[in-house]
Amino acid sequence: RVIHAIGTPYELMSEKEIADYKKSWVERIVPPERQEKAAECYLLPGEDGLNGYLWHAFSFELVDALHGTEARAAFDGAQRGSAVLISAWDDAGYRVSDSSKLTAAVLDEIIDVVITDSNFGWTYAKPHEEYLGPYFFRG
């Protein structure tokens, strides 16, 4: 699993916890008038609770965010504590007790990852497509 390479304490999330968290993230971050579009953009988890690419909120411009170099700098400079890291590549989710040691450079080594503040205050998303993102959003 990707989190082993990061070297910070974590708790593995169940598939249901991941799906519930993704749904809550969409409800809190995506404006109400764009919620229906979120489903069309494969932003929400499927019937099996898997998939649901949160970074589509940024690539489909449902939510305004910094991107590229600005996003990396904003993430590295943000005050961060507990967080949720979701790896779409291996359908895994982790509750990270201290995300302050994670950097954009470390996350660049992981394919298709989203890390969010436990209280949805910020999100850093790195898609698997190299020409997209990364994105940083502060709510």
Side-chain angles (χ1 to χ4, degrees):
R1 303 261 185 195
V2 296
I3 197 78
H4 295 283
I6 293 174
T8 189
Y10 66 89
E11 283 180 37
L12 187 62
M13 296 169 69
S14 70
E15 289 178 4
K16 181 178 180 345
E17 287 175 312
I18 296 167
D20 289 348
Y21 191 84
K22 287 179 179 181
K23 288 175 189 172
S24 293
W25 186 91
V26 170
E27 289 170 3
R28 301 272 289 288
I29 303 303
V30 177
E33 66 274 9
R34 296 183 178 163
Q35 294 279 325
E36 190 173 315
K37 180 77 171 167
E40 296 171 19
C41 298
Y42 304 103
L43 190 57
L44 295 167
E47 291 292 321
D48 60 1
L50 303 177
N51 298 318
Y53 302 102
L54 297 182
W55 58 268
H56 281 192
F58 309 118
S59 65
F60 282 92
E61 299 179 352
L62 301 178
V63 177
D64 291 327
L66 298 173
H67 65 278
T69 303
E70 289 179 324
R72 285 183 182 91
F75 177 73
D76 286 343
Q79 292 280 342
R80 293 178 275 120
S82 64
V84 171
L85 187 145
I86 297 173
S87 170
W89 198 253
D90 61 0
D91 291 318
Y94 310 90
R95 294 191 188 284
V96 179
S97 59
D98 181 9
S99 65
S100 66
K101 293 178 177 57
L102 299 176
T103 64
V106 168
L107 295 175
D108 278 346
E109 300 300 316
I110 303 170
I111 298 171
D112 212 337
V113 65
V114 173
I115 184 167
T116 75
D117 174 60
S118 295
N119 296 316
F120 305 101
W122 54 263
T123 298
Y124 182 79
K126 191 197 134 277
H128 56 269
E129 285 96 345
E130 292 181 18
Y131 61 91
L132 293 174
Y135 303 99
F136 184 79
F137 168 82
R138 184 175 299 281

